[in-house]
Amino acid sequence: MARKTKDDTEKTVAAILGGAERAFLGKGVGNTPLADIAKQAGVSKGAVYGHYKGGKIEVCVAMCERAIGEVQEPIHPVKMASNMESLLQWGLTHLGLCQNPSSLRNVMEILYLKCEENPEYEPVISIRRRWDDHSYLAMRRLIRRAIKSGELPANLEVEQAIDFLMSIMTGIFSTLWWTDRLKDEQEKIKKLMLAGLDAVRDSKHLRATPA
């Protein structure tokens, strides 16, 4: 029997993780048996266990980490002419990463829509939490810079502003995932983000309450 080369192993792993994406997208994490992953990957169940002894959850974690690792996570925004412009570009970059067809977009759909809250899936859910935490930290950093530069009011309620902008982005994500209303409408998406930033700058409802 010929020994498997490193290239053979890498191809098998790629096939397993690609098969996992397709299987989880179709049925969700909870309803996908390991046999479905193997079938989608074109390998045996034994081959899947040979690489991922932890079974389905270990495969799912590896699948998520591969997709996230293939892109530059939008947590270090490029410096723009102004801090508000940096915040806008960060938001558009973040939306674009999960909008354009890719393994990352598939994984985001699995993490947010196809993985139920279950203690068994905690290793997977924790990846989703880390992504959220990184996003919040990036937005907080940019908002604080804009306050320091005078582009946003000094009495802005930062956490509430973050929740507000993240809610807008979640709404855009949902529209992109579930409808065709914003498909290929980059200018409209940009205007929605600009409207959100205008509200952060001008709305009295996002101001800290005086002590």
Side-chain angles (χ1 to χ4, degrees):
M1 182 181 295
R3 288 185 62 186
K4 282 194 173 184
T5 66
K6 181 179 179 182
D7 189 51
D8 291 332
T9 298
E10 289 175 352
K11 286 180 180 178
T12 300
V13 168
I16 291 169
L17 299 184
E21 273 185 33
R22 294 186 291 274
F24 291 138
L25 275 173
K27 291 186 176 180
V29 176
N31 294 322
T32 299
L34 198 70
D36 282 10
I37 296 173
K39 183 177 180 180
Q40 288 283 350
V43 301
S44 67
K45 284 177 62 176
V48 178
Y49 273 120
H51 290 282
Y52 299 101
K53 292 180 172 52
K56 176 174 72 174
I57 301 306
E58 187 176 342
V59 174
C60 191
V61 168
M63 175 198 74
C64 294
E65 290 178 342
R66 178 186 71 160
I68 291 172
E70 285 177 350
V71 299
Q72 182 177 359
E73 216 172 326
I75 59 176
H76 300 297
V78 175
K79 182 72 173 174
M80 305 295 289
S82 73
N83 290 303
M84 291 298 282
E85 181 69 15
S86 292
L87 186 53
L88 171 65
Q89 291 303 319
W90 175 86
L92 294 176
T93 299
H94 196 94
L95 287 166
L97 285 173
C98 299
Q99 174 189 358
N100 302 324
S102 65
S103 285
L104 179 65
R105 191 223 182 273
N106 292 340
V107 162
M108 288 296 114
E109 184 171 343
I110 291 165
L111 285 175
Y112 287 92
L113 303 176
K114 303 290 181 75
C115 183
E116 59 267 39
E117 294 286 337
N118 185 317
E120 181 184 356
Y121 307 144
E122 178 58 30
V124 180
I125 294 168
S126 68
I127 294 173
R128 184 176 71 203
R129 289 200 198 100
R130 288 201 304 273
W131 179 270
D132 287 341
D133 289 346
H134 290 164
S135 300
Y136 269 80
L137 286 171
M139 189 174 283
R140 184 182 292 113
R141 187 182 308 120
L142 286 166
I143 286 175
R144 290 192 185 282
R145 288 177 185 170
I147 293 172
K148 188 175 181 179
S149 65
E151 297 168 67
L152 288 175
N155 65 339
L156 180 70
E157 179 53 70
V158 174
E159 298 305 316
Q160 194 164 320
I162 293 171
D163 287 338
F164 174 72
L165 287 175
M166 282 296 185
S167 295
I168 289 176
M169 292 178 66
T170 299
I172 294 173
F173 278 133
S174 297
T175 302
L176 288 167
W177 273 333
W178 296 112
T179 76
D180 291 327
R181 283 167 47 206
L182 291 176
K183 185 178 180 181
D184 301 322
E185 296 283 0
Q186 299 307 310
E187 193 58 33
K188 284 185 179 180
I189 292 173
K190 182 177 180 180
K191 286 181 178 179
L192 289 172
M193 285 297 299
L194 285 169
L197 293 175
D198 286 346
V200 169
R201 186 185 62 241
D202 300 328
S203 176
K204 66 180 181 180
H205 299 293
L206 297 175
R207 302 294 175 265
T209 303

